[in-house]
Amino acid sequence: MNRIRCSIPWVTLALAGVALGLALLPSRWVADPLALFCFDHQAIVQQGQWWRLLSGHLVHSDSTHLQWDLLGFVIFGSWLEFKDRRLLVLSLALALLILDLVLLSSWGLARYCGLSGLLYAPAALMLWQHFRRQPHLISALPLIAGAAKLVSESLQQQAWLADQGWPLYAPAHWCGVAAALIVWLLTRRRHSSPLGQPTLYR
């Protein structure tokens, strides 16, 4: 797969802009954006409100939840998009598919919202790539911290950084990591770039 580098992370900024826009919708237009756009299992399955399969990942429970998710998404999404836009799109699409399937299953939730499940896909890809490029302890620290956060939140069912208003759904984060693993496996390469440097994923 040839890399598509970009100077402006339009995909990341567009999705972040939609998430921010949903949070800022005037009440005279939509009285309760969270109720209208969150993932709602009953509304999707029984009423056919399929837009929630996408919008549920872009709407947030409160401003704190939105701020932390946007921060992480813009950082990791832009980082990956600068490297290869197609990898970003692929990782997000897979994370969306996997997470929606889990949410619709017997392991899912009645209601869900937030970008965190999606942002774990580019985050996991970039932290792993950072370590692969410089395989020593200092480079491993961000990866270790990310893994510790993931495991700790799964065990304690409590977010590290902030109370997001709703109970933490840790499986969503694992769905993002699973998507990252699939993308890495699909895009592995066993040769080096023309400049003699490792390609993005080997």
Side-chain angles (χ1 to χ4, degrees):
M1 181 185 294
N2 294 324
R3 285 186 264 180
I4 298 181
R5 295 181 178 272
C6 67
S7 57
I8 299 177
W10 291 116
V11 173
T12 301
L13 294 178
L15 290 174
V18 172
L20 182 60
L22 289 175
L24 298 177
L25 279 174
S27 58
R28 65 177 181 276
W29 293 358
V30 179
D32 188 352
L34 181 60
L36 179 62
F37 294 112
C38 75
F39 178 98
D40 185 314
H41 191 281
Q42 183 176 358
I44 293 169
V45 174
Q46 298 183 10
Q47 301 174 32
Q49 297 181 7
W50 301 106
W51 70 82
R52 295 177 182 270
L53 293 171
L54 175 60
S55 66
H57 305 282
L58 299 174
V59 71
H60 291 78
S61 58
D62 58 29
S63 59
T64 302
H65 186 200
L66 173 68
Q67 290 166 10
W68 283 111
D69 274 5
L70 280 185
L71 178 63
F73 184 74
V74 169
I75 290 174
F76 290 109
S78 299
W79 189 6
L80 181 55
E81 191 168 359
F82 282 133
K83 294 289 185 179
D84 191 325
R85 179 170 288 153
R86 284 189 297 194
L87 286 181
L88 173 70
V89 173
L90 179 59
S91 68
L92 293 177
L94 278 174
L96 178 68
L97 175 62
I98 294 171
L99 182 48
D100 278 344
L101 289 175
V102 170
L103 288 170
L104 288 170
S105 74
S106 58
W107 297 291
L109 297 174
R111 302 178 80 208
Y112 170 86
C113 67
L115 265 171
S116 60
L118 301 189
L119 77 83
Y120 263 78
L125 280 170
M126 294 314 300
L127 290 177
W128 174 247
Q129 174 60 16
H130 178 68
F131 171 67
R132 287 292 300 272
R133 286 184 176 275
Q134 304 176 51
H136 50 70
L137 179 59
I138 299 300
S139 293
L141 289 179
L143 184 63
I144 294 171
K149 178 179 184 295
L150 184 65
V151 173
S152 173
E153 290 180 341
S154 298
L155 294 175
Q156 299 180 13
Q157 293 299 305
Q158 177 64 44
W160 267 20
L161 299 176
D163 181 0
Q164 59 187 27
W166 283 11
L168 176 71
Y169 184 60
H173 301 168
W174 288 102
C175 289
V177 174
L181 177 61
I182 293 171
V183 170
W184 178 73
L185 291 173
L186 289 174
T187 57
R188 290 181 68 187
R189 295 186 177 184
R190 299 186 180 279
H191 60 272
S192 297
S193 66
L195 297 178
Q197 297 295 325
T199 49
L200 184 56
Y201 297 99
R202 296 182 61 191

